[in-house]
C-alpha cells in the first residue's frame, strides 16, 4: 500500500471532487471557520506516529538540557543567565519570580522536515501557544465520508492539542483542591482581545466543546478579593495565561497585577498556567548557549548527539566571538562571509517579527543589520532547507509545491498533537500565519 501522502496526492490528481475538495466542504465549528476563513491548506498532512513519538522524546530531553544551562554555564546563577540572553530586568524579574528550575513542560516545537528527520527552529514553551484548535479540522475530516474511508484504509488517527491543554489545566487545578471542572479565566494583556477577536473566540469555542468553560478576560478585568482571583465577580481556580512578560513589563499597573497573581499562585490560592518562568527557556538565545556549550565540550556525548540531531548552529549576536565547528572566529566577519547560509532572528519575538534571511539581503544591508542587532540583541542561525510538500489545487487539479513548518506539541505525557503551517515555495523565508497572508494551516494525521 502507498504511504498516505503519496496515495492522497494520486487520488486528488485522478479525481474531480471527493478528496480533492474535502477541505472546502468540511462541517467546521462556526468560530473556527471564521478564524481560519481562506487560511486552511487544501489537504491535511501525514506522518508516521512512531517518528513523531521519537521526536517528542528527543524534544523533552532537549527541554531538560535547556533548563540545566544556568547550572552548567553560570554556576546556577539565573540572573547571570538572563543577562547573557539580554532579557530586560523587569521581564527577568517576572520570569524568576517562581523558583522552579524545571517548570512543567507545555510546549510547541517549530521544525523543518527533511523526509523523516526534523530540525528545530524554535521551542515555544508555555500556555500561550497558537494553533491549539487545529484538531477541530481533524475531527471534521473524519466526519467526511470520503476522507473517513481514506483514513480507514491507512489506519489514520489524529493528535489533539486542544484536549491535551484541557487535560493539563484540569491536572494543574488539583493543586488548589479542584478535582472536577475548574473555573478557568483565559487572560490576555489589555487591548489584545480587540486585536485578535476571531482567534480567541475560536479557542473559547474549542475549550467549551471539550467540556472546559472559560472566562475570557484582559488583565484589567481581573481582580483580587478576599485572597481569591475573580473575573467579573466570579471566583477563578486557574488563570490560563496568554500574556507574555514583554507585553506587560512597561505597564506598571499590569506589572503589579501579575506580581499579585504570582503571589497567589505561590500561596496555592490560584494556579497560573503557566508561570512566566517558561520564557527563560523559550528565548531563542538558549539555542546559542547550547551551541556554545556543545563547542566547549560542556555536554556529555549523548547530549552532544541530541543537539546535533535537533539544532542548527546558533549564535548570540551580542557576542563578538563565535565558535564554529570548534574554531574561534570573529562573529561579524564570519556572518558577513556566510550571508547566504544564515538568518537573523530576535531572541524573544513571535509570528516571524524581525526575522531577516541573509539570502534575501544585499551585502551592505546585511552588514548594517548585523551591526544593529549586535547592539540590540538577537541571534544568527544556520539556514535550514526543508524538503518540499505538495498539494493538489481543488479547482485546477494542478500540483503546487509548498514549504511547511511543522508544529509538534508536547507535555510531560509526551506527544500532544501536531499541525503544519505552509506557504507556496518562493513566497518568503518566514512561514508565519500572522505575518504572511500566503500562509495556511492544516492538522497532521498519524499513520
Amino acid at each position: 500500500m502507498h504511504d498516505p501522502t503519496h496515495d492522497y496526492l494520486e487520488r486528488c490528481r485522478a479525481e474531480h471532487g471527493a478528496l480533492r475538495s474535502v477541505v472546502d466542504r468540511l462541517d467546521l465549528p462556526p468560530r473556527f471557520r471564521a478564524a481560519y476563513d481562506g487560511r486552511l491548506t487544501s489537504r491535511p498532512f501525514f506522518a508516521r506516529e512512531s517518528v513523531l513519538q521519537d521526536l517528542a522524546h528527543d524534544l523533552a530531553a532537549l527541554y531538560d538540557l535547556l533548563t540545566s544551562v544556568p547550572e552548567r554555564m553560570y554556576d546556577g546563577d539565573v540572573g547571570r543567565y538572563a543577562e547573557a540572553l539580554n532579557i530586560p530586568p523587569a521581564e527577568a524579574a517576572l520570569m524568576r519570580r517562581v523558583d522552579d528550575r524545571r517548570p512543567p513542560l507545555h510546549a510547541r516545537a517549530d521544525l523543518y522536515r527533511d523526509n523523516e528527520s526534523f530540525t528545530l527552529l524554535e521551542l515555544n514553551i508555555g500556555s500561550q501557544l497558537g494553533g491549539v484548535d487545529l484538531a477541530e479540522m481533524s475531527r471534521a475530516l473524519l466526519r467526511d465520508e470520503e476522507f473517513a474511508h481514506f483514513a480507514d484504509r491507512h489506519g489514520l488517527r489524529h493528535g489533539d492539542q486542544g484536549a491535551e491543554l484541557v487535560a493539563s489545566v484540569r491536572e494543574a487545578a488539583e493543586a488548589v483542591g479542584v478535582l472536577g471542572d475548574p473555573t478557568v479565566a483565559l487572560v490576555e494583556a489589555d487591548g489584545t482581545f480587540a486585536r485578535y477577536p476571531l482567534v480567541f473566540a475560536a479557542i473559547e469555542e474549542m475549550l467549551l466543546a471539550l467540556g472546559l468553560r472559560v472566562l475570557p478576560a484582559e488583565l484589567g478585568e481581573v481582580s483580587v478579593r478576599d485572597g481569591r482571583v475573580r473575573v467579573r465577580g466570579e471566583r477563578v481556580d486557574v488563570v490560563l495565561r496568554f500574556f507574555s512578560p514583554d507585553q506587560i513589563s512597561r505597564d506598571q499597573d499590569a506589572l503589579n497585577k501579575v506580581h499579585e497573581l504570582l503571589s497567589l499562585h505561590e500561596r496555592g490560592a490560584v494556579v497560573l498556567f503557566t508561570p512566566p518562568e517558561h520564557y527563560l527557556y523559550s528565548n531563542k538565545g538558549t539555542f546559542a548557549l547550547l551551541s556554545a556549550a556543545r563547542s566547549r565540550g560542556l555536554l556529555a556525548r549523548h547530549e552532544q548527539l541530541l543537539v546535533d540531531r535537533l539544532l542548527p548552529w546558533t549564535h548570540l549576536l551580542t557576542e563578538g566571538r563565535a565558535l564554529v565547528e570548534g574554531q574561534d572566529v570573529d562573529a561579524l566577519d564570519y556572518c558577513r562571509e556566510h550571508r547566504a547560509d544564515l538568518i537573523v532572528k530576535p531572541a524573544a519575538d513571535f509570528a516571524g517579527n524581525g526575522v531577516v534571511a541573509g539570502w534575501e539581503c544585499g551585502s551592505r544591508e546585511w552588514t548594517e543589520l548585523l551591526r544593529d542587532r549586535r547592539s540590540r540583541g538577537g541571534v544568527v542561525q544556520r539556514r535550514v532547507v526543508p524538503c518540499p510538500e505538495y498539494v493538489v489545487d481543488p479547482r485546477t487539479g494542478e500540483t503546487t509545491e509548498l514549504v511547511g513548518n511543522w508544529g509538534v506539541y508536547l507535555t510531560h505525557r509526551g506527544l500532544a498533537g501536531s499541525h503544519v503551517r505552509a506557504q507556496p515555495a518562493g513566497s518568503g523565508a518566514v512561514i508565519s500565519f500572522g505575518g504572511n497572508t500566503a500562509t495556511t494551516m492544516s492538522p497532521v494525521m498519524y499513520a
Side-chain angles (χ1 to χ4, degrees):
M1 184 181 295
H2 290 314
D3 74 89
T5 301
H6 184 82
D7 189 20
Y8 195 93
L9 292 173
E10 280 198 341
R11 289 168 180 267
C12 287
R13 293 184 186 110
E15 296 172 3
H16 299 283
L19 287 182
R20 185 191 294 182
S21 58
V22 64
V23 172
D24 289 340
R25 65 173 182 267
L26 288 180
D27 178 22
L28 296 165
R31 293 181 180 180
F32 178 90
R33 181 174 289 282
Y36 291 97
D37 184 36
R39 302 292 300 277
L40 295 174
T41 313
S42 61
R43 71 166 177 90
F45 289 78
F46 308 100
R48 285 201 296 160
E49 185 172 8
S50 61
V51 171
L52 293 187
Q53 292 284 8
D54 289 345
L55 175 61
H57 182 270
D58 270 359
L59 290 167
L62 185 78
Y63 179 60
D64 285 341
L65 196 54
L66 287 172
T67 58
S68 75
V69 167
E71 190 68 40
R72 291 171 187 252
M73 300 184 72
Y74 300 96
D75 299 319
D77 189 333
V78 179
R80 286 173 54 208
Y81 167 81
E83 287 176 11
L85 294 175
N86 206 35
I87 298 174
E91 294 178 31
L94 275 181
M95 296 176 196
R96 298 174 60 195
R97 174 67 186 272
V98 179
D99 186 19
D100 184 349
R101 292 296 171 84
R102 192 191 186 281
L105 179 56
H106 188 87
R108 189 196 72 225
D110 289 345
L111 311 107
Y112 275 170
R113 182 179 74 91
D114 184 7
N115 294 317
E116 290 195 342
S117 68
F118 289 84
T119 302
L120 182 61
L121 305 177
E122 57 186 84
L123 188 61
N124 306 280
I125 311 169
S127 47
Q128 69 300 331
L129 303 176
V132 292
D133 50 356
L134 255 292
E136 295 286 11
M137 183 174 167
S138 298
R139 283 187 275 273
L141 283 164
L142 293 173
R143 290 193 298 267
D144 181 88
E145 183 177 354
E146 291 290 340
F147 187 86
H149 177 74
F150 177 84
D152 185 62
R153 169 183 169 88
H154 289 279
L156 300 179
R157 60 176 295 274
H158 70 91
D160 195 332
Q161 49 267 41
E164 289 290 339
L165 173 61
V166 170
S168 293
V169 167
R170 286 179 172 147
E171 185 177 308
E174 295 176 7
V176 290
V178 178
L179 301 181
D181 286 332
T183 301
V184 179
L186 189 161
V187 179
E188 251 292 8
D190 290 341
T192 305
F193 281 145
R195 290 162 55 197
Y196 307 107
L198 298 178
V199 171
F200 287 107
I203 293 173
E204 182 186 3
E205 175 186 62
M206 174 204 69
L207 294 174
L208 185 60
L210 292 169
L212 189 68
R213 174 176 168 262
V214 297
L215 306 172
E218 295 184 346
L219 271 171
E221 299 174 278
V222 177
S223 62
V224 176
R225 191 168 72 246
D226 302 325
R228 297 292 183 178
V229 176
R230 300 180 185 274
V231 169
R232 296 182 288 276
E234 191 166 349
R235 176 177 157 176
V236 170
D237 302 308
V238 179
V239 171
L240 178 55
R241 179 187 59 77
F242 267 73
F243 58 84
S244 60
D246 66 294
Q247 286 178 294
I248 60 172
S249 62
R250 292 178 294 275
D251 181 335
Q252 192 59 51
D253 289 340
L255 201 56
N256 293 341
K257 181 71 64 67
V258 174
H259 276 293
E260 191 172 20
L261 290 175
L262 286 166
S263 294
L264 293 169
H265 173 86
E266 290 168 326
R267 297 206 303 265
V270 73
V271 173
L272 183 57
F273 186 83
T274 53
E277 61 185 318
H278 274 127
Y279 284 90
L280 285 169
Y281 307 107
S282 60
N283 184 294
K284 297 180 186 68
T286 57
F287 289 0
L289 296 181
L290 273 187
S291 287
R294 194 252 180 272
S295 296
R296 293 171 187 164
L298 300 179
L299 305 182
R301 178 62 178 164
H302 71 280
E303 294 169 337
Q304 293 177 18
L305 293 173
L306 176 68
V307 169
D308 292 345
R309 267 199 310 277
L310 286 178
L311 295 186
W313 175 84
T314 310
H315 176 72
L316 281 170
L317 284 166
T318 50
E319 298 291 331
R321 307 294 298 180
L323 286 168
V324 184
E325 298 178 352
Q327 299 297 311
D328 186 295
V329 299
D330 181 89
L332 189 60
D333 288 346
Y334 177 84
C335 291
R336 278 199 301 250
E337 292 169 11
H338 296 84
R339 171 172 53 87
D341 300 318
L342 299 173
I343 188 166
V344 164
K345 302 178 179 182
D349 218 324
F350 69 101
N353 295 325
V355 177
V356 180
W359 59 94
E360 293 184 347
C361 281
S363 177
R364 182 175 178 179
E365 179 188 0
W366 178 249
T367 299
E368 291 175 354
L369 172 73
L370 291 172
R371 287 174 176 155
D372 174 63
R373 296 293 177 87
R374 188 170 185 173
S375 62
R376 294 195 293 123
V379 301
V380 61
Q381 193 172 74
R382 179 87 64 201
R383 180 182 187 179
V384 181
V385 180
C387 65
E389 313 284 354
Y390 297 98
V391 296
V392 176
D393 188 290
R395 284 157 289 281
T396 67
E398 295 180 357
T399 300
T400 301
E401 181 180 327
L402 302 179
V403 179
N405 182 319
W406 289 64
V408 174
Y409 295 79
L410 61 153
T411 69
H412 67 278
R413 290 180 291 275
L415 179 64
S418 315
H419 72 240
V420 174
R421 285 169 286 165
Q423 64 191 36
S427 61
V430 181
I431 302 175
S432 165
F433 188 81
N436 187 337
T437 57
T439 303
T440 57
M441 295 184 72
S442 189
V444 176
M445 308 292 287
Y446 304 151

